Amino acid sequence: MRSVRRCSRTGCVNPAVATLTYAYADSTAVVGPLATYAEPHSYDLCEAHALRLTVPNGWEVVRHEGEFAPPTPSDDDLTALAEAVREAGRPDRPVEPQVSAPGAGRRAHLRALPDPVEE
């Protein structure tokens, strides 16, 4: 299942609509439509940050012509979501038993609770 990608700028919670990639050899920043997949050497930006991007002196910015549109969910995304919900709701899905080692070190601050017993 693909979740909504957010803007890479710190503190920004807006959805990403553009991808920023640097071409260091050419001293160029390229701002284009949102890439299909999040790449490790690129940054996802919301529309406001994509339009206001500035670069160091001597660098060039190549921007996508036109508007940045948020990606629409495809049938594959909707199918994957339906499959995930269906799988999570299966009553016969295997549940892994929790194994706790006696004398284990520090206890975690979060723990899983067993399902309540229906009466």
Side-chain angles (χ1 to χ4, degrees):
M1 179 178 74
R2 186 181 73 159
S3 62
V4 175
R5 288 162 44 191
R6 300 281 177 205
C7 182
S8 297
R9 294 292 303 259
T10 304
C12 185
V13 296
N14 294 324
V17 295
T19 297
L20 166 65
T21 307
Y22 291 108
Y24 293 100
D26 300 326
S27 299
T28 304
V30 180
V31 180
L34 188 63
T36 307
Y37 300 100
E39 297 289 333
H41 299 291
S42 62
Y43 303 90
D44 294 336
L45 299 175
C46 65
E47 185 172 16
H49 287 122
L51 295 174
R52 292 189 321 217
L53 177 76
T54 59
V55 294
N57 288 335
W59 279 61
E60 211 181 325
V61 178
V62 176
R63 290 187 204 275
H64 167 70
E65 293 293 326
E67 296 181 12
F68 293 108
T72 57
S74 68
D75 289 341
D76 293 339
D77 294 338
L78 297 175
T79 303
L81 177 60
E83 293 289 332
V85 168
R86 192 175 301 120
E87 181 66 25
R90 271 188 28 217
D92 62 333
R93 91 182 155 136
V95 178
E96 296 178 18
Q98 291 200 351
V99 179
S100 59
R106 179 176 173 260
R107 289 181 58 189
H109 68 282
L110 298 176
R111 62 180 178 186
L113 298 175
D115 289 335
V117 178
E118 294 182 19
E119 293 182 37

